[in-house]
Every structure is written in structure tokens, then in C-alpha cells.
Amino acid sequence: MRVCIIAEGSYPYMTGGVSGWIHSLMTNLPDHEFIIYTIGAQEGQRGKFKYTLPPNVVEVRETFLDESLDEHGSRRRLRLSAGEKEALRSLIGGGHTDWEGVFALLRSERFRHAADLLMSEDYFDVLTGLCRETYSQIPFTEMIWTVRSMILPLFLSVRRDIPEADLYHSVSTGYAGVVGALAKHLYGKPFLLTEHGIYSREREEEIIKADWVKGYFKDLWIEYFYRLSGCAYAYADKVVTLFGRNREIEIELGCRPDKIAIIPNGVDVRAYEQAARRTGGDRTTVRIGAIVRVVPIKDIKTMIHSFALVRQRMPETELYIMGPTDEDREYYGECLQLIESLQVEGVVFTGEVNVREYLERMDLILLSSISEGMPLAILEAMASAKPVVATDVGSCRELLLGRGDDIGPAGEVVPVMHYDRMADAIVRLCANRKLREQMGSNGLKRVRMHYTHERFIDGYRRLYASFGEGK
């Protein structure tokens, strides 16, 4: 079977997380051919892959959203039919979105550039009517530029040629989900959606905090991303999520319950046997590790604030932040400034490292994210018999505290952004080696029981086969 994997903001330009998941899936399903349709942020990423592609990857199609910034059009008369106007209005203004109408309009051969549409008189008529009805207090000029910035990336995503395949597999909603829906619309082939975190919820959190979105446009942006997710849910033949709470949220957001299956992530437990055997020995220093990209959604600043409190109470501690620092250089710089302003010592940014080797040296693992799905970092820690202190996001509670397996806690869960609560949990574990070892042992038992790599791959092998049977 030829499978088209549709990724946004991840593989093959980023490491870890969803990217690592995609690479593992393709590597362990050698009987299938894969096409990568990847949507990146910046043209400068083109060809700069962080992975050596598996031999069963037969093609990579790259699309970059910043190409839309160079869109130029001509101010000419472009007539829209009543149906096209209504489709456009449904995309911008909410309610039930006519996605077939949107696809037909945005892929129309009557214009070459999105600007040809966005500078047309009929487009302005749609936008003017919408503003009169719903956004009468918003400056019209600002509305024009906001809607333009919403439509351009979508236009670019759906105008690209989509390769033909036997199955389309999007690994998030958003633009990747819309492309998957479009592929099903164009070719009539099955469309599988895997949702790690809830994309629309993550975008909502980002927009609420974003300085670049003015207050009265935040709702417009948030509703827009929920509409993109709704498109993927509507067109998908099957929606796979990682744990029960995600399934409940997807149903709340309009996904049909009968479409949803749960296939948890998994980890190769055998690969971490060496780390699981290693303990801190007789050394007095307690080493805390964080397997994480240095980006805002991982909330490294809360981690640093927390560790500053830990150091005040337990000076014999060290924090190793293990992961790339180049994805958001501005945020990395802010983290360094925070460390300097707090005058906290013992923080080491390692950059990208061999995580397994570093896990051998760690005593406990820390995760401070404001949003997660089923984080591989926690699974790796559990396979290494290391206890974890994590924020109460995604599946962290289920992973660490269990769900009816009577194994016992593998760590502690604390509220998001509560660095004082996080510090308290870290200190409890740092001060009690026996407790760390017991929680580490619990984690290893739980990952062996529920979250092995073999179970993850077998779940997708069976799922892919079920689509192949329907050919």
C-alpha cells in the first residue's frame, strides 16, 4: 500500500515528539511505501531534514506557509457565483462550513494567486456584509488584513498538487487535516487522522497569549482553527487518538464517536534497559532531566522558576534540559535571561543529545508543558525506571498515576504553570531516594504492560490493513 503522510510543522524538519513518531511508524512498516507531504513554516527549511529518510519513503513534497507572504495579484473583475460567495462567507464567518464549495473556490483555475480573489469586488462585498452583521465595531481595514492572513496559508495548502496514494494519513488537524480531507474529496481514497494533542485547543491557548493578535480578533482566529479541525473530523474515515480524555474532547468538538479509535504511543523498553539498571549510586548530587524542545508550549520558564526554588532548598541538584534550542531562538534567549536574573546555578542546556545515554545519569525527569498528547519523554523516563514530575496535561496523569492497573504512582502530577507546586514535588523526590526507586519501578511495570513499541506498531499495521481490505 502507498500511504501519504501529511505533516504540519514537524517531520522531517524537527526532532522528537510527532516527528519521531512518524519516523518510527514508517521505519517499522517496511511493507508499505510512504509519500511525505509536509507543510513547513519557512522556505529556508527546504531540504534541511533532521532525519535520514527510511528506504520505503518514495517521495517528499514540501510546502511552506511563508510563500503566501509573497502573494501578488491583479486588481481585476472576478465574478463569484452566489454559491461561491456563501462558501467564502461560511469559511470566514462561522456556522456550517461548505468545504466542498471552499475547495472548489480556492482551487479554481480562474485565478492564479490568492490576491486575485482577495482584491476582487465580490470578496469585498462578502467581507463588508459580514462586518455589518457581526463585526460592526471592528475597524474594516484591520478586518481585511486579518482575514487575508487567515486565508493565504489555507489557499497555499489546498492549491498544491496532492500526490495520489492508496491511503492519506494526516498526523494533526489544522492545515494538514484540511489537506487530508481535500485528498479524500479529490481521489475518493480513505483518509486516516491521528491526533496526538488537540490541535485546535493548542492553537486557542497560543492565540489567547499572543501579542500579535488584538483582543477583538482572538475569537475570530480561534473559531477559524476549530473550523479547520471540524473539516478533518468530518472527512476522516477513522480518527485515532492516544488516550481516553482526548477521545472525549474530540466528541465534544463534533467528531462522531464511532470514528474514534485509541492506539497509545509506545516505547522500545529493551532499548532503555541500561538506563533502567543505573542509579545515582553514592553521589550526593541529584540530577534532574528534561527531555524537551526549548519552545513556549513546553513552558521552560516555569521549569526554570521551579528549579530556582529547588536550589534554594536543595543546593546539591542539577537540571539538564536535553533538546534543541534553535527552533525558537528568541524564546531560548529569554530563558537564558531568566536564569541570569534569578541567579540560579546548575542549569545546563545540552542541545540535542543521545537521550538514552543521558537518562542513565538522571535521577528524575521533569515536564512543564502547557499542552501535550502522550509525551514520548515520559514513556522514555518510565522505560528507564526514572520517576517523573509533570504538569497535568494530555495523558500525563494517566501515564504516571495509572488507570485501574493497581501498579502505583510513577511520579507526581502538578497544575500547569504552578512552579511552586512543581518545586515541592521535585524536593519530595530529591529528598527520598527510596521513593524515587519505587516510582521508577512502577513506571517500568506500567510501560511494559500498556505502552510497548510493539503494541503501537501492531495497532497501525492492523489499521492500515483494514483500509487495504476495502480497496
Side-chain angles (χ1 to χ4, degrees), residues 236-441:
D237 295 279
K238 202 74 176 177
V239 177
V240 178
T241 192
L242 308 181
F243 57 100
R245 178 54 186 150
N246 260 14
R247 180 180 186 275
E248 294 169 3
I249 295 172
E250 289 169 340
I251 293 171
E252 291 172 11
L253 297 179
C255 186
R256 276 179 21 211
D258 60 296
K259 286 187 176 185
I260 306 173
I262 296 176
I263 302 179
N265 283 345
V267 63
D268 183 358
V269 179
R270 292 167 299 183
Y272 295 85
E273 288 177 348
Q274 181 78 3
R277 286 194 294 266
R278 290 285 183 92
T279 64
D282 296 326
R283 60 177 163 80
T284 57
T285 301
V286 179
R287 293 173 177 166
I288 304 162
I291 308 165
V292 64
R293 296 176 295 120
V294 182
V295 293
I297 201 167
K298 303 300 183 180
D299 199 6
I300 309 302
K301 292 180 181 179
T302 286
M303 185 184 296
I304 294 167
H305 275 291
S306 175
F307 183 68
L309 294 179
V310 172
R311 282 280 294 198
Q312 291 174 11
R313 296 159 66 179
M314 302 193 73
E316 298 296 318
T317 50
E318 298 171 344
L319 173 61
Y320 293 83
I321 300 175
M322 301 173 278
T325 60
D326 57 353
E327 291 185 26
D328 190 330
R329 294 185 183 278
E330 182 179 352
Y331 184 73
Y332 173 52
E334 291 171 4
C335 291
L336 294 177
Q337 290 174 4
L338 178 61
I339 290 169
E340 184 177 352
S341 66
L342 293 174
Q343 296 183 328
V344 58
E345 298 180 349
V347 181
V348 179
F349 287 92
T350 68
E352 291 189 55
V353 294
N354 185 319
V355 170
R356 295 177 200 169
E357 290 181 2
Y358 264 76
L359 278 169
E360 295 178 21
R361 313 173 200 172
M362 298 298 119
D363 298 294
L364 68 98
I365 299 300
L366 182 58
L367 187 77
S368 55
S369 301
I370 60 175
S371 182
E372 285 285 354
M374 180 171 281
L376 179 61
I378 291 185
L379 294 176
E380 290 176 319
M382 293 166 69
S384 303
K386 311 298 180 186
V388 180
V389 175
T391 44
D392 194 2
V393 293
S395 63
C396 294
R397 175 175 292 275
E398 185 174 316
L399 289 172
L400 297 179
L401 305 185
R403 197 171 187 176
D405 58 16
D406 298 322
I407 289 174
E412 297 203 28
V413 179
V414 298
V416 171
M417 299 180 73
H418 282 239
Y419 59 83
D420 53 341
R421 297 274 296 275
M422 179 173 285
D424 289 342
I426 294 169
V427 168
R428 277 194 295 274
L429 284 168
C430 287
N432 191 333
R433 177 174 174 176
K434 186 175 181 180
L435 179 61
R436 294 199 305 269
E437 291 177 352
Q438 181 59 58
M439 286 186 167
S441 176

Side-chain angles (χ1 to χ4, degrees), residues 439-454:
M439 286 186 167
S441 176
N442 292 344
L444 183 55
K445 289 177 184 176
R446 182 168 293 124
V447 82
R448 283 173 172 165
M449 181 179 290
H450 301 297
Y451 304 109
T452 65
H453 187 260
E454 291 80 9

